[in-house]
Amino acid sequence: MEAGLRSSDAFVLRRCQILLASARGERAPRIAENLGCGSQTVRNAIHDFNERGLVALTPGSSRPREVHSAFDEGEAESLLQMLHHRPREFGKEGTFWTLEMAAFVSFEEGITERRVSGETIRATLARLGVRWQRAKRWMESPDPEYERKKGIEIG
């Protein structure tokens, strides 16, 4: 435990400080105040050490245990159907969907219960196998000589 106080890993150092202070008889709120962390953090470290021993000094994964998607299957299909319509049908000025606009309209239309981010829309579409790409504007001229003038003429 004393060797952990010289660790370059901040997690190990903090855990060792907490456990040694606890071994000296200090209470969780006092340890938290001295170390500048929350008292629940101190309690979690002590409980973890009591359950797992020295293994509690190694950091675990910071990845969440559960991931909840913002759209269930039905809502995801509704989103996809919404994106097959023009934004102007929903009172928006643009002619192309953006991720942020899709997030806002999906909330307005009641597809989602709360406002989601554009990234959530992108991830939901990716889950459905749809790739989101930036819209490109294609300009064409009514001039019959347009292709020849631009050097596009074939043959």
Side-chain angles (χ1 to χ4, degrees):
M1 202 67 73
E2 295 286 336
L5 294 176
R6 293 184 295 280
S7 174
S8 61
D9 186 355
F11 179 83
V12 174
L13 173 66
R14 176 61 53 94
R15 282 275 171 116
C16 288
Q17 289 172 330
I18 291 170
L19 296 172
L20 288 171
S22 176
R24 287 191 304 264
E26 292 183 38
R27 298 275 183 201
R30 174 90 174 140
I31 297 170
E33 183 181 321
N34 289 340
L35 296 178
C37 63
S39 58
Q40 188 61 49
T41 301
V42 173
R43 285 188 202 94
N44 290 345
I46 293 169
H47 289 299
D48 195 25
F49 179 75
N50 289 339
E51 287 178 12
R52 300 187 314 143
L54 290 176
V55 177
L57 296 179
T58 58
S61 174
S62 61
R63 186 176 178 184
R65 290 188 180 115
E66 266 184 71
V67 178
H68 302 283
S69 60
F71 292 87
D72 63 21
E73 290 304 315
E75 292 168 341
E77 285 299 322
S78 297
L79 172 69
L80 200 54
Q81 292 304 315
M82 179 190 83
L83 293 175
H84 283 290
H85 296 280
R86 293 187 175 110
R88 290 190 176 162
E89 293 177 33
F90 297 96
K92 301 299 169 198
E93 297 244 342
T95 55
F96 299 109
W97 284 106
T98 64
L99 291 172
E100 290 300 321
M101 185 190 304
F104 187 74
V105 173
S106 69
F107 174 68
E108 281 183 335
E109 293 295 309
I111 295 172
T112 59
E113 293 179 11
R114 60 184 170 81
R115 180 85 158 65
V116 296
S117 68
E119 175 58 23
T120 301
I121 298 292
R122 189 205 58 74
T124 302
L125 292 174
R127 194 177 77 216
L128 294 173
V130 176
R131 289 180 42 217
W132 187 271
Q133 295 180 339
R134 184 175 53 90
K136 298 174 183 77
R137 295 182 187 262
W138 296 96
M139 295 185 65
E140 292 189 20
S141 171
D143 182 5
E145 298 293 313
Y146 177 76
E147 290 182 359
R148 184 188 61 77
K149 290 176 184 177
K150 285 295 191 181
I152 306 173
E153 191 171 3
I154 300 172

